[in-house]
């Protein structure tokens, strides 16, 4: 069908770099930023909304109908404060993330990253089951607190 999904580091900058390198026209982030390189070099909510409404009109389908192709998993986000965000690549943290990813397999995902603006590390877990997402996120946050304490 010609659709290819790639993952980059978090941030419009990295999404745009990959789009330029691969000649892709559409990119975005889970946060809702959508980049359409034929029209802009950053996420633009008004532009995205207009294109979405245009597609709804073209297909004569509601937004709910168009969105039905996507499965949304429960998501847990924990901001771990009071840690050294520059050490987010710590081997013990990486090992805990790998274990969490193995536990989730294809039924969820883990994103652990240093905040670009605050002295904290963001731990995000998505899973089919909300309790599993919460449990894994809390476990990872605990490892981050322990390993990266200031």
């Amino acid at each position: 069908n010609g659709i290819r999904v790639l993952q980059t580091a978090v941030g419009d900058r990295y999404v745009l770099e990959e789009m330029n390198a691969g000649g892709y026209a559409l990119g975005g982030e889970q946060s809702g930023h959508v980049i359409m390189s034929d029209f802009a070099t950053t996420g633009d909510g008004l532009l995205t909304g207009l294109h979405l409404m245009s597609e709804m009109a073209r297909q004569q389908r509601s937004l709910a109908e168009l969105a039905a192709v996507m499965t949304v998993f429960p998501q847990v986000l924990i901001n771990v404060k009071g840690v050294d965000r520059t050490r987010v690549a710590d081997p013990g943290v990486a090992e805990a993330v790998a274990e969490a990813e193995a536990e989730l397999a294809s039924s969820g995902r883990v994103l652990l990253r240093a905040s670009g603006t605050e002295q904290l590390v963001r731990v995000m877990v998505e899973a089919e089951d909300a309790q599993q997402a919460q449990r894994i996120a809390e476990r990872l946050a605990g490892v981050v607190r322990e390993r990266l304490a200031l």
Side-chain angles (χ1 to χ4, degrees):
N1 62 10
I3 295 174
R4 186 167 176 205
V5 177
L6 303 173
Q7 290 186 352
T8 69
V10 175
D12 281 2
R13 168 187 168 195
Y14 301 108
V15 173
L16 185 60
E17 283 177 6
E18 185 68 31
M19 290 173 68
N20 288 338
Y24 305 116
L26 182 67
E29 294 189 281
Q30 187 275 336
S31 64
H33 291 175
V34 175
I35 301 172
M36 291 175 268
S37 62
D38 290 345
F39 304 97
T41 57
T42 61
D44 183 322
L46 290 175
L47 180 64
T48 301
L50 290 170
H51 278 271
L52 181 57
M53 289 189 305
S54 174
E55 189 62 19
M56 290 167 58
R58 187 183 73 76
Q59 291 193 33
Q60 295 188 348
R61 296 173 67 192
S62 71
L63 183 55
E65 290 171 309
L66 293 176
V69 300
M70 189 174 107
T71 302
V72 179
F73 287 175
Q75 184 182 91
V76 174
L77 174 65
I78 299 175
N79 290 322
V80 185
K81 298 178 181 180
V83 295
D84 183 355
R85 67 182 176 169
T86 65
R87 294 183 24 240
V88 74
D90 173 84
V93 171
E95 182 180 331
V97 169
E99 289 171 5
E101 288 174 335
E103 181 180 340
L104 289 167
S106 62
S107 66
R109 69 184 181 120
V110 173
L111 175 64
L112 191 137
R113 71 178 187 94
S115 168
T117 57
E118 300 174 80
Q119 191 63 29
L120 58 85
V121 171
R122 300 187 196 286
V123 176
M124 188 281 296
V125 177
E126 287 180 344
E128 289 178 323
D129 177 73
Q131 291 176 335
Q132 182 185 33
Q134 185 71 43
R135 186 180 76 255
I136 293 171
E138 288 175 3
R139 185 174 74 224
L140 287 174
V143 171
V144 168
R145 270 187 212 96
E146 178 185 316
R147 301 281 306 188
L148 307 184
L150 289 175

